[in-house]
Amino acid sequence: MNSLTIADDVRRYVLRRIPSVPYLEAILLLRDNAHDGWQAAQVASRLYLPESEAQQLLTLLHANGVVQPGGGAPGCYRYAPETAELGQLLDRLAVAYKQNLIAISTLIHSNTRAKAQLLAEAFVWRKGK
């Protein structure tokens, strides 16, 4: 599979909803352990992130309908996409990422760079304006 064979719906989801590789890695971690509840400290440990960043990822995943509170302890989240369609899309994304890690990662990074460039251009001082 190369970048040209990433399904259009998967590509759109990556470009619109995946802000970073750690966000995607968190989805995959929780998806692969769907019966477990995860707290920020556990996610941080597995993804080599500061706990505060892991908490932000869990909060964003919850806001985006990928995880739901659950698992017993306060602050635990469990992989539970809010729709079957989202779950199926994330399954296809997981396969695409395993088969073409570089293309998916590049897509995420290129999207992040494009957004940063747009922001930077918004603050360029132009003569005569």
Side-chain angles (χ1 to χ4, degrees):
M1 174 183 269
N2 62 39
S3 62
L4 298 176
T5 61
I6 297 170
D8 287 341
D9 60 340
V10 171
R11 180 183 296 279
R12 276 190 304 275
Y13 187 80
V14 168
L15 290 171
R16 292 180 180 162
R17 296 290 186 170
I18 306 291
S20 66
V21 172
Y23 180 91
L24 176 55
E25 292 284 344
I27 290 174
L28 299 176
L29 173 65
L30 275 67
R31 179 186 166 274
D32 289 346
N33 299 280
H35 298 292
D36 299 333
W38 288 81
Q39 293 180 308
Q42 296 166 299
V43 172
S45 175
R46 290 288 296 273
L47 297 182
Y48 305 103
L49 299 170
E51 190 172 334
S52 61
E53 188 174 336
Q55 183 60 57
Q56 290 173 348
L57 289 174
L58 289 171
T59 300
L60 187 55
L61 287 166
H62 180 248
N64 289 335
V66 176
V67 301
Q68 301 301 322
C76 267
Y77 290 89
R78 176 172 282 146
Y79 179 79
E82 65 185 1
T83 66
E85 293 80 17
L86 177 57
Q88 292 166 0
L89 179 63
L90 294 174
D91 289 344
R92 290 195 312 280
L93 174 56
V95 170
Y97 191 61
K98 283 182 184 177
Q99 292 177 342
N100 206 344
L101 181 135
I102 293 172
I104 299 288
S105 297
T106 300
L107 192 59
I108 293 167
H109 291 301
S110 68
N111 192 40
T112 303
R113 282 191 301 271
K115 288 178 183 176
Q117 184 64 36
L118 284 173
L119 180 64
E121 287 175 2
F123 292 98
V124 171
W125 180 266
R126 292 194 169 75
K127 189 175 180 180
K129 291 192 178 196

